[in-house]
Amino acid sequence: MESVDFAEVLSPDPAHFEHAVKEDLSTIQAEFAALLRNVSDEKELATLKVHLLGKKGRITGLLKELGQLSPDERQACGKRINELKSYVEEALGEAEASFVDRQMRERLETEWVDVSLNLSRRPVGNLHPVSQVQYEIEDIFSAMGFEVLDGPHVETDEVNFEALNIPKEHPARDMQDTFYLEDGNLLRTHTSTIQVRGMQRLKPPFKIIGPGKVFRSERIDASHEVTFHQLEGMMVNRDIKVAHLIHFMKVLLSSIFRREVEVRLRPGYFPFVEPGFELDIRCLLCSGKGCSVCKQVGWVELLPCGMVHPNVLRAGNIDPDKYSGFAFGLGLDRLVMMRYGIDDIRHFHSADLRFIRQFR
Ligand code: FA5
């Protein structure tokens, strides 16, 4: 709309009020209609409204001045002015609504979202395969009523060795090369510490598992790391037998490998179990032919286990005449290697994202 000089077009000349009131209101209406047609936005519309209906507006002024007329004239003119006022209000309202409508249509045209657009994916990380398998095993055992326990990486000699029937000077201490700290504590060498803490916390009967990192001062090769992962398991109740142990190990292995795997049970020595076993799995990397992971023997040592030694139960305040139990200490890294055919344990700590991303 061209800039409108309302004062010129619409303002009454106070000196000629009578003439103004009597002038042809239809002319004002026509002028208003013409101005309205030229209004191009809400701001101009608001200006037009103020000039007609505002405090000092043209129509408001006419209504105010009605009092100066004779009663007859007042009635006649008042009616006509009010008709004009209603007409103007309605027209302005419609114009306002059409601006809002136009704005909405413009927004819909400019701000629409193309849901079919192929946006580049935001990079998301994934869990390390060892964590993935750990959580899977936690789910398997939780479903069988096992409680998942945790324990500290820094342990006392008492918890890591003594309570597990490995007193000082016992030759079995040499089986696990230990990192000792200056204060006499150590980095736990196995998750069997979680057995000890479990016995301190729980009263039999109980079933627990305890996954976590363990540390040994070992020479690193394809199947040995310095920091690796184990998952401990322990069940204590009346009359627990080797058959219970074998049952739970079978459930574990068939859930994890989801296929037949060949296993063998051979005697194994651990001071905290009696009898003790080594459960080995036929190497899935070489199908038993021999490779660097199985050290050319065709079998991988995966799951040492056994019946909890009475001395260990006693140290945990459990009466071995009333209760018995089994325990196992799964080597998690090696299990993951077997499951995915990973030929070197060093990939796990390589920080090579290409390796990790294969397990999305
Ligand atoms: C133990 O650590 C016993 N605490 C396990 C146990 C628990 C026995 C309860 C009986 C009852 P061992 O030292 O064999 O056992 O280790 C257990 C498993 O950890 C091994 O079978 C192997 O799979 C894994 N493992 C051992 N050393 C390493 C290493 N350096 N790197 C990677 N995995 C290892």
Side-chain angles (χ1 to χ4, degrees), residues 201-249:
R201 249 193 59 190
L202 304 165
K203 292 225 168 322
F206 62 80
K207 293 186 281 202
I208 55 163
I209 56 165
K213 280 190 168 65
V214 297
F215 312 87
R216 292 185 195 174
S217 175
E218 296 216 24
R219 252 194 47 214
I220 296 176
D221 61 26
S223 57
H224 290 84
E225 257 293 357
V226 166
T227 300
F228 57 102
H229 302 81
Q230 290 186 342
L231 186 137
E232 197 78 5
M234 185 185 214
M235 178 176 184
V236 176
N237 205 334
R238 293 179 192 274
D239 287 331
I240 295 293
K241 305 207 161 54
V242 175
H244 292 100
L245 169 65
I246 292 172
H247 165 75
F248 283 104
M249 297 306 94

Side-chain angles (χ1 to χ4, degrees), residues 176 190 192 195 216 218 223-225 228 230 232 270 272-273 278 301-305 327-329 331 334 345:
Q176 302 176 357
H190 52 181
S192 297
Q195 283 186 36
R216 292 185 195 174
E218 296 216 24
S223 57
H224 290 84
E225 257 293 357
F228 57 102
Q230 290 186 342
E232 197 78 5
F270 302 92
F272 32 94
V273 284
E278 284 283 6
E301 190 188 294
L302 195 68
L303 227 174
C305 51
F328 63 88
R334 292 193 193 162
I345 198 170

Side-chain angles (χ1 to χ4, degrees), residues 124-142:
V124 233
N126 59 285
L127 285 176
H128 192 282
V130 172
S131 302
Q132 289 185 28
V133 173
Q134 176 190 318
Y135 297 150
E136 215 175 291
I137 299 175
E138 286 180 15
D139 287 345
I140 293 167
F141 278 98
S142 298

Side-chain angles (χ1 to χ4, degrees), residues 150-195:
D150 199 2
H153 292 169
V154 174
E155 268 296 4
T156 59
D157 188 275
E158 165 70 25
V159 173
N160 198 83
F161 292 124
E162 302 261 346
L164 288 162
N165 201 28
I166 317 176
K168 289 204 170 56
E169 317 305 336
H170 193 291
R173 289 206 178 202
D174 298 339
M175 290 162 70
Q176 302 176 357
D177 292 316
T178 311
F179 287 112
Y180 284 96
L181 307 181
E182 279 173 5
D183 61 4
N185 288 327
L186 48 85
L187 294 183
R188 71 178 177 198
T189 56
H190 52 181
T191 46
S192 297
T193 52
I194 299 174
Q195 283 186 36

Side-chain angles (χ1 to χ4, degrees), residues 43 86 98 118 127 132 145 170 172 198 206 220 231 290 296 332 343:
K43 210 169 146 206
S86 302
S98 86
N118 203 357
L127 285 176
Q132 289 185 28
H170 193 291
F206 62 80
I220 296 176
L231 186 137
Q296 314 305 330
L332 253 185
D343 62 359

